[in-house]
Amino acid sequence: MQSSGHRFRDVEHHPLLAENDSYDSSSSEADMAERVWFIRDGCGMVCAIMTWLLVVYADFVVTFVMLLPSKDFWYSVINGVLFNCLAVLALSSHLRTMLTDPGAVPKGNATKEYMDNLQLKPGEVIYKCPKCCSIKPERAHHCSICKRCIRKMDHHCPWVNNCVGEKNQRFFVLFTMYIALISAHALILCGFQFFSCVRGQWTECSDFSPPVTVILMIFLCLEGFLFLTFTAVMFGTQIHSICNDETEIERLKSEKPTWERRLRWEGMKSVFGGQPSLLWISPFAGFQIRRLLLRAKKGGAEFSV
């Protein structure tokens, strides 16, 4: 298909939008920026709720089963504050990952007017997604769950009910890091608790009965071990991908890079923003409550699928 001196490629035959169907890219992207991003996927929402419930369960066991009954005041205070701070950071990172636009390409921008505005060189090839009828930027891939093309899409994660892409990858990395940290912390506390209970009296090491205490702590150990293993591996693969400037999809497909790679620190700075600082490990960086409330009043959820 020839259009304005450049070639237009498609994965399968799919006609362009009619020329009289107006499309304003600037207004479309502005509308997207003013909406709260949320994927209404049943499986993803269940997984996201389970994630929160598991973190709340861990916090309950650590606080009420292990720390509050302890006779060592400072041991309880220090570990309680540390664990709860890490839990808040983990859940905040989860929310930012879930509610942040991962880099969705505007729907239906494959119009003649829009392509003319791209000022493409003669013979230059552009690609259109036949599923969402949008011009696919370099390194963008279509997500069948989000029903959108996502810039630098790494993968779709049901545990955060969202794609991990260009704009929310840093929050996903923080989420995996903080979950790994609280899982390791919970396992260490469980070890100390078992040791103190075995050495002393089970009836004195917890306000719950010994059988209930053992069951709660065994479940916490299983949860902590599984979460620590999964999130530590995921954190490592994400850092590796960022340092090599290669998404998981690109790695699995063995795609040859046609872009200029940002390696190591350049890749880290492009994802986390700016020079290394404490803002890198803060899920609250750039968060504005007032802007979020205005989005919620103005546009509601981005998806209704």
Side-chain angles (χ1 to χ4, degrees):
M1 180 182 293
Q2 299 291 331
S3 177
S4 302
H6 61 267
R7 290 178 292 167
F8 188 83
R9 287 188 178 178
D10 202 345
V11 177
E12 63 186 54
H13 178 69
H14 193 295
L16 287 174
L17 297 179
E19 293 184 19
N20 56 356
D21 293 341
S22 60
Y23 175 84
D24 187 349
S25 61
S26 60
S27 62
S28 176
E29 293 179 0
D31 290 340
M32 288 176 60
E34 293 300 327
R35 290 178 180 270
V36 175
W37 180 273
F38 182 73
I39 305 299
R40 296 184 182 179
D41 173 61
C43 177
M45 289 189 287
V46 170
C47 290
I49 293 173
M50 285 180 57
T51 302
W52 276 67
L53 291 178
L54 289 171
V55 173
V56 170
Y57 169 78
D59 188 70
F60 169 80
V61 176
V62 168
T63 303
F64 294 97
V65 178
M66 292 190 284
L67 296 182
L68 287 182
S70 176
K71 297 179 180 179
D72 190 335
F73 175 77
W74 288 111
Y75 172 83
S76 300
V77 169
I78 293 174
N79 283 285
V81 170
L82 178 61
F83 188 88
N84 281 277
C85 286
L86 291 174
V88 169
L89 290 170
L91 293 179
S92 300
S93 300
H94 183 273
L95 274 180
R96 292 299 302 272
T97 308
M98 183 171 61
L99 301 179
T100 299
D101 176 1
V105 179
K107 274 186 176 180
N109 65 353
T111 62
K112 184 177 183 301
E113 178 185 0
Y114 179 72
M115 287 187 292
D116 289 339
N117 292 332
L118 293 178
Q119 298 180 349
L120 299 169
K121 300 177 182 178
E124 186 174 353
V125 178
I126 59 174
Y127 295 89
K128 184 192 71 165
C129 176
K131 298 176 182 178
C132 58
C133 201
S134 61
I135 302 298
K136 292 182 68 171
E138 189 177 36
R139 307 184 70 184
H141 294 85
H142 185 86
C143 175
S144 58
I145 299 176
C146 295
K147 296 180 174 60
R148 299 288 282 274
C149 284
I150 307 297
R151 294 183 178 91
K152 288 185 66 176
M153 176 181 170
D154 188 84
H155 68 286
H156 184 94
C157 179
W159 296 104
V160 297
N161 190 32
N162 200 1
C163 275
V164 177
E166 185 178 57
K167 295 183 179 180
N168 68 344
Q169 187 176 25
R170 67 180 295 257
F171 301 123
F172 181 75
V173 172
L174 294 180
F175 168 67
T176 58
M177 182 183 73
Y178 287 124
I179 289 294
L181 288 176
I182 64 172
S183 298
H185 192 192
L187 289 174
I188 294 172
L189 291 176
C190 283
F192 278 115
Q193 187 73 8
F194 273 119
F195 178 77
S196 62
C197 289
V198 170
R199 188 180 59 177
Q201 295 292 329
W202 278 93
T203 55
E204 296 179 359
C205 69
S206 175
D207 293 336
F208 295 84
S209 64
V212 173
T213 301
V214 172
I215 292 174
L216 291 174
M217 291 177 62
I218 288 176
F219 275 113
L220 179 60
C221 287
L222 291 175
E223 176 192 342
F225 176 76
L226 293 175
F227 268 53
L228 174 60
T229 303
F230 175 76
T231 54
V233 171
M234 185 60 70
F235 175 78
T237 57
Q238 286 293 301
I239 295 298
H240 180 268
S241 297
I242 293 172
C243 291
N244 289 321
D245 196 13
E246 182 182 47
T247 66
E248 187 66 17
I249 292 180
E250 292 164 351
R251 187 185 67 82
L252 293 174
K253 290 184 175 182
S254 299
E255 296 182 0
K256 295 182 179 180
T258 57
W259 60 93
E260 184 179 353
R261 281 188 167 182
R262 298 177 178 178
L263 301 179
R264 298 180 178 85
W265 278 112
E266 291 301 319
M268 294 289 288
K269 287 189 289 186
S270 67
V271 171
F272 290 91
Q275 296 297 324
S277 67
L278 291 177
L279 293 177
W280 277 26
I281 59 174
S282 171
F284 305 106
F287 180 70
Q288 297 179 357
I289 298 179
R290 182 179 179 183
R291 186 178 180 184
L292 180 63
L293 294 175
L294 289 175
R295 286 182 179 180
K297 291 180 180 179
K298 195 169 184 178
E302 168 68 17
F303 283 110
S304 58
V305 295

